[in-house]
Amino acid sequence: MQAVYALALTPVAETTADPCSYGFRPERSCADAMEHCFKVLSKNVSPAWILEGDIKGCFDNINHAWLLKNIPIDKSILAQWLQSGYIESKKLFPTESGTPQGGIISPILSNITLDGLARRLKEKFGNRPIGINLIRYADDFIVSATTKECLEEAIKPLIIEFLAERGLQLSLEKTRTTHISEGFDFLGQNVRKYKCGRYRQKLLIKPSKDNIKTFLRKIRQTVRKYRGIDQVSLIKIINPKVRGWANYHRSVVSKAIFSKMDHEIWKVIWGWSKWRHPKKSAKWIINRYFQSKGLRNYCFSGLEKQLDDSKKRYWLIHMSDVAIQRHVKIRQNANPFDKEQDSYFEQRNTNKMKQKKSSQRSVDSVIALQNGKCPLCKKSLKIFQNWQIRLRRSFSNGGNFTYSNMIIVHNNCNRKINSK
């Protein structure tokens, strides 16, 4: 039932959402929020002071009366969801305030609750407030300003008042005002300006130290937990974690950190190997668990027997092999439910698929179904990168970028269709 109501409420939430909000919204991600940070803070004339906002128990404290008054769905159904509580280990936990975390519709309700802060700032400081920028991901947000006094005396009281109307409080202990030269952590990444010459400064976004320590701790705990399994099984468990962390940070300045992380993970694997064979020499352990791959030595790997009695070798992936790719931020006013913006999302997802090697197979399959020809002009599609995805069922009508819903056309053919 929550899924049905969420389908109806999402287009409303997207249309009324703050343009600077990126959490739990379709076609938006953490990378968009970080790219927004770079755009507003990277210039020499950019604001230098940052308010790092932290809401005290956002999901747990939203005012039920405010939700019932402002959320445009059936009030009786919403009231039942808000008051029903949840059961864990055969024990009932009532929800007297806030929205139950983990519910399908809870992220949409929290987003609608926090939407409007950007408009409130605009009303107070005008249409083009100099240096004042709000960037929000779910309940984490930052606000920039040119002076510390502006943040402390004007913006912070406004945020406290805005949240109080919704039954929320700003955590004064965790909310800090920071200068950009000191840097701040946001969504697992550190944003800081470094001196570059006598008069210039350069903004660099890197994985934060806390995020690095947390990830390495999880890797060590995983390896310690699975000490008794073979190396192939261990590789299958660790590889998705390593690949996921690297892909999350691949759009920022992280190449040097990737190399350091590879070394730290290798030390963990070496400790695992030594623990399994405490009486064996280092040379014996290297010959058993580590091989050369290309120009790289001491790569952790293992052989697994296949159904046809052949053996397949699995390798522990290296973060340093993950290419750095700058993320292209989504337009602030982009709405996936707006029919006029279908072509924008088709172009955006086409560019994403061109960058991903994993998407090449799907593209090749669609082209094969079309007999290698563009369905609009009936000419060959073999021109490298000269193609564009169009959807049979448009994005605004619920279509998605799946194998059965895509057609591949020439760029020029696509432009002619869009112009008509």
Side-chain angles (χ1 to χ4, degrees), residues 190-205:
N190 180 263
V191 184
R192 182 181 172 187
K193 261 188 178 177
Y194 298 83
K195 283 189 176 180
C196 181
R198 187 173 180 180
Y199 301 106
R200 293 181 58 201
Q201 290 183 320
K202 187 173 184 179
L203 184 81
L204 297 181
I205 303 178

Side-chain angles (χ1 to χ4, degrees), residues 79 89 108 138 156 190 201 227 239 285 318 362 364 371 384 416:
S89 301
I108 304 174
K156 192 173 179 180
N190 180 263
Q201 290 183 320
R227 277 180 170 177
N239 270 357
I285 293 174
H318 292 80
S362 298
D364 291 342
N371 296 321
F384 182 69
K416 290 178 182 178

Side-chain angles (χ1 to χ4, degrees), residues 149-196:
E149 291 73 19
C150 179
L151 288 175
E152 295 286 348
E153 299 173 8
I155 294 177
K156 192 173 179 180
L158 183 146
I159 295 174
I160 293 174
E161 178 187 352
F162 174 84
L163 295 176
E165 297 171 3
R166 292 150 173 78
L168 300 173
Q169 292 181 345
L170 198 65
S171 176
L172 301 179
E173 299 82 14
K174 297 181 180 179
T175 299
R176 301 189 306 161
T177 304
T178 312
H179 195 271
I180 192 65
S181 61
E182 298 175 8
F184 64 93
D185 290 347
F186 186 52
L187 302 178
Q189 295 174 344
N190 180 263
V191 184
R192 182 181 172 187
K193 261 188 178 177
Y194 298 83
K195 283 189 176 180
C196 181

